Amino acid sequence: DAGVTQSPTHLIKTRGQQVTLRCSPKSGHDTVSWYQQALGQGPQFIFQYYEEEERQRGNFPDRFSGHQFPNYSSELNVNALLLGDSALYLCASSRSGYNSPLHFGNGTRLTVT
Amino acid sequence: AQSVTQPDIHITVSEGASLELRCNYSYGATPYLFWYVQSPGQGLQLLLKYFSGDTLVQGIKGFEAEFKRSQSSFNLRKPSVHWSDAAEYFCAVGAWAAGNKLTFGGGTRVLVKP
């Protein structure tokens, strides 16, 4: 049973560029959340997708957007990259409903130069 | 708003010694509480969770945590640490009303001395 898979594992981009990160949830999970983890800090909630819609959003600018596909996989898009966007981006999946803990992927390390 | 504080940024412990990591949370309603562990370059692995019921919860790898509502705490413990326990540990709080959104603390890095 595959867990949460993310691609790519590492990415280097230049300021002002755009990036797309991908996530496949754990089998049986229908909800996908994205978190940003800056170096030396805890993960920060970006947004959550369920039924192909953004259900919740954290305190991130509109440059951060996402999508969920009918097979529950998800993408995170970041436009106009800033140096401060350098971080580990974690995808987490869960089953909708009560008492479903998050299962995390290994993340995508984004470096903006 | 939810918040989580992990007062200890770094803890060094000898192999075989006991370990306790502190976590304090702030949340108006009944919280769901979690401990996750992160090895270098890896994602987060769930160690244990508290939703309701018995306030002492057992997790994987020999870890346990105790929920104390009066102290707004959810401290993680392990009686005897192994070298493989060296990692970063994160406490997180969530709530059904928040739809599985988690708020994480800043983490505690555990170093294990031989």
mmCIF file of all heavy atoms in Angstrom, chain B residues 50-67:
data_model
loop_
_atom_site.group_PDB
_atom_site.id
_atom_site.type_symbol
_atom_site.label_atom_id
_atom_site.label_comp_id
_atom_site.label_asym_id
_atom_site.label_seq_id
_atom_site.Cartn_x
_atom_site.Cartn_y
_atom_site.Cartn_z
ATOM 1 N N TYR B 50 -4.364 11.903 20.201
ATOM 2 C CA TYR B 50 -5.389 11.921 21.232
ATOM 3 C C TYR B 50 -6.624 12.617 20.666
ATOM 4 O O TYR B 50 -6.550 13.759 20.211
ATOM 5 C CB TYR B 50 -4.910 12.663 22.485
ATOM 6 C CG TYR B 50 -6.025 12.864 23.473
ATOM 7 C CD1 TYR B 50 -6.444 11.825 24.300
ATOM 8 C CD2 TYR B 50 -6.707 14.075 23.559
ATOM 9 C CE1 TYR B 50 -7.490 11.985 25.182
ATOM 10 C CE2 TYR B 50 -7.752 14.245 24.445
ATOM 11 C CZ TYR B 50 -8.140 13.202 25.244
ATOM 12 O OH TYR B 50 -9.185 13.370 26.123
ATOM 13 N N PHE B 51 -7.762 11.885 20.736
ATOM 14 C CA PHE B 51 -9.031 12.484 20.332
ATOM 15 C C PHE B 51 -9.953 12.637 21.531
ATOM 16 O O PHE B 51 -10.597 13.660 21.720
ATOM 17 C CB PHE B 51 -9.708 11.645 19.241
ATOM 18 C CG PHE B 51 -9.028 11.721 17.900
ATOM 19 C CD1 PHE B 51 -8.723 10.576 17.196
ATOM 20 C CD2 PHE B 51 -8.699 12.938 17.334
ATOM 21 C CE1 PHE B 51 -8.097 10.640 15.961
ATOM 22 C CE2 PHE B 51 -8.069 13.022 16.098
ATOM 23 C CZ PHE B 51 -7.769 11.858 15.403
ATOM 24 N N SER B 52 -10.052 11.584 22.335
ATOM 25 C CA SER B 52 -10.921 11.608 23.508
ATOM 26 C C SER B 52 -10.612 10.366 24.327
ATOM 27 O O SER B 52 -9.827 9.506 23.922
ATOM 28 C CB SER B 52 -12.398 11.629 23.106
ATOM 29 O OG SER B 52 -12.738 10.428 22.435
ATOM 30 N N GLY B 53 -11.245 10.275 25.496
ATOM 31 C CA GLY B 53 -11.112 9.072 26.302
ATOM 32 C C GLY B 53 -9.892 9.092 27.197
ATOM 33 O O GLY B 53 -9.539 10.130 27.767
ATOM 34 N N ASP B 54 -9.247 7.955 27.329
ATOM 35 C CA ASP B 54 -8.096 7.799 28.214
ATOM 36 C C ASP B 54 -7.046 8.860 27.908
ATOM 37 O O ASP B 54 -6.610 9.014 26.762
ATOM 38 C CB ASP B 54 -7.493 6.404 28.048
ATOM 39 C CG ASP B 54 -6.477 6.073 29.128
ATOM 40 O OD1 ASP B 54 -6.087 6.985 29.884
ATOM 41 O OD2 ASP B 54 -6.084 4.896 29.221
ATOM 42 N N THR B 55 -6.638 9.585 28.922
ATOM 43 C CA THR B 55 -5.721 10.712 28.700
ATOM 44 C C THR B 55 -4.273 10.268 28.499
ATOM 45 O O THR B 55 -3.428 11.088 28.148
ATOM 46 C CB THR B 55 -5.792 11.694 29.868
ATOM 47 O OG1 THR B 55 -5.512 10.990 31.090
ATOM 48 C CG2 THR B 55 -7.177 12.330 29.960
ATOM 49 N N LEU B 56 -3.977 9.008 28.767
ATOM 50 C CA LEU B 56 -2.639 8.477 28.500
ATOM 51 C C LEU B 56 -2.730 7.636 27.232
ATOM 52 O O LEU B 56 -3.434 6.629 27.203
ATOM 53 C CB LEU B 56 -2.158 7.634 29.681
ATOM 54 C CG LEU B 56 -0.723 7.095 29.577
ATOM 55 C CD1 LEU B 56 0.287 8.245 29.555
ATOM 56 C CD2 LEU B 56 -0.419 6.153 30.740
ATOM 57 N N VAL B 57 -2.028 8.064 26.195
ATOM 58 C CA VAL B 57 -2.127 7.366 24.912
ATOM 59 C C VAL B 57 -0.778 6.741 24.562
ATOM 60 O O VAL B 57 0.274 7.324 24.814
ATOM 61 C CB VAL B 57 -2.584 8.316 23.784
ATOM 62 C CG1 VAL B 57 -4.009 8.746 24.005
ATOM 63 C CG2 VAL B 57 -1.676 9.524 23.665
ATOM 64 N N GLN B 58 -0.872 5.558 23.994
ATOM 65 C CA GLN B 58 0.322 4.844 23.577
ATOM 66 C C GLN B 58 0.516 5.009 22.076
ATOM 67 O O GLN B 58 -0.449 5.048 21.318
ATOM 68 C CB GLN B 58 0.187 3.352 23.907
ATOM 69 C CG GLN B 58 -0.070 3.067 25.380
ATOM 70 C CD GLN B 58 1.085 3.509 26.265
ATOM 71 O OE1 GLN B 58 2.246 3.354 25.914
ATOM 72 N NE2 GLN B 58 0.754 4.087 27.424
ATOM 73 N N GLY B 59 1.760 5.092 21.667
ATOM 74 C CA GLY B 59 2.041 5.252 20.255
ATOM 75 C C GLY B 59 3.025 4.216 19.759
ATOM 76 O O GLY B 59 3.289 3.215 20.425
ATOM 77 N N ILE B 60 3.572 4.493 18.605
ATOM 78 C CA ILE B 60 4.550 3.586 18.025
ATOM 79 C C ILE B 60 5.924 3.854 18.615
ATOM 80 O O ILE B 60 6.142 4.895 19.258
ATOM 81 C CB ILE B 60 4.587 3.722 16.485
ATOM 82 C CG1 ILE B 60 5.028 5.125 16.076
ATOM 83 C CG2 ILE B 60 3.229 3.369 15.889
ATOM 84 C CD1 ILE B 60 5.294 5.275 14.591
ATOM 85 N N LYS B 61 6.839 2.929 18.417
ATOM 86 C CA LYS B 61 8.242 3.063 18.823
ATOM 87 C C LYS B 61 8.404 3.249 20.321
ATOM 88 O O LYS B 61 9.411 3.802 20.765
ATOM 89 C CB LYS B 61 8.931 4.225 18.083
ATOM 90 C CG LYS B 61 8.852 4.146 16.569
ATOM 91 C CD LYS B 61 9.650 5.254 15.914
ATOM 92 C CE LYS B 61 9.577 5.135 14.395
ATOM 93 N NZ LYS B 61 10.462 6.086 13.701
ATOM 94 N N GLY B 62 7.430 2.799 21.124
ATOM 95 C CA GLY B 62 7.552 2.876 22.570
ATOM 96 C C GLY B 62 7.239 4.225 23.178
ATOM 97 O O GLY B 62 7.496 4.455 24.366
ATOM 98 N N PHE B 63 6.694 5.153 22.412
ATOM 99 C CA PHE B 63 6.342 6.472 22.925
ATOM 100 C C PHE B 63 4.941 6.481 23.540
ATOM 101 O O PHE B 63 4.067 5.708 23.141
ATOM 102 C CB PHE B 63 6.396 7.513 21.804
ATOM 103 C CG PHE B 63 7.785 7.921 21.414
ATOM 104 C CD1 PHE B 63 8.448 7.268 20.380
ATOM 105 C CD2 PHE B 63 8.434 8.951 22.075
ATOM 106 C CE1 PHE B 63 9.745 7.621 20.025
ATOM 107 C CE2 PHE B 63 9.721 9.321 21.718
ATOM 108 C CZ PHE B 63 10.372 8.652 20.695
ATOM 109 N N GLU B 64 4.752 7.379 24.505
ATOM 110 C CA GLU B 64 3.443 7.620 25.084
ATOM 111 C C GLU B 64 3.313 9.110 25.358
ATOM 112 O O GLU B 64 4.312 9.837 25.427
ATOM 113 C CB GLU B 64 3.220 6.838 26.379
ATOM 114 C CG GLU B 64 4.126 7.256 27.519
ATOM 115 C CD GLU B 64 3.825 6.491 28.815
ATOM 116 O OE1 GLU B 64 3.305 5.362 28.752
ATOM 117 O OE2 GLU B 64 4.117 7.059 29.884
ATOM 118 N N ALA B 65 2.075 9.583 25.473
ATOM 119 C CA ALA B 65 1.842 10.988 25.786
ATOM 120 C C ALA B 65 0.651 11.087 26.712
ATOM 121 O O ALA B 65 -0.261 10.250 26.684
ATOM 122 C CB ALA B 65 1.596 11.793 24.510
ATOM 123 N N GLU B 66 0.660 12.110 27.536
ATOM 124 C CA GLU B 66 -0.424 12.319 28.488
ATOM 125 C C GLU B 66 -1.073 13.669 28.259
ATOM 126 O O GLU B 66 -0.397 14.711 28.237
ATOM 127 C CB GLU B 66 0.089 12.235 29.925
ATOM 128 C CG GLU B 66 -1.027 12.304 30.961
ATOM 129 C CD GLU B 66 -0.559 12.004 32.369
ATOM 130 O OE1 GLU B 66 0.668 11.975 32.604
ATOM 131 O OE2 GLU B 66 -1.418 11.799 33.239
ATOM 132 N N PHE B 67 -2.387 13.670 28.098
ATOM 133 C CA PHE B 67 -3.168 14.887 27.918
ATOM 134 C C PHE B 67 -3.595 15.389 29.287
ATOM 135 O O PHE B 67 -4.241 14.662 30.047
ATOM 136 C CB PHE B 67 -4.400 14.596 27.053
ATOM 137 C CG PHE B 67 -5.401 15.719 26.982
ATOM 138 C CD1 PHE B 67 -5.016 16.976 26.572
ATOM 139 C CD2 PHE B 67 -6.728 15.507 27.315
ATOM 140 C CE1 PHE B 67 -5.935 18.014 26.485
ATOM 141 C CE2 PHE B 67 -7.657 16.521 27.233
ATOM 142 C CZ PHE B 67 -7.261 17.781 26.825
#
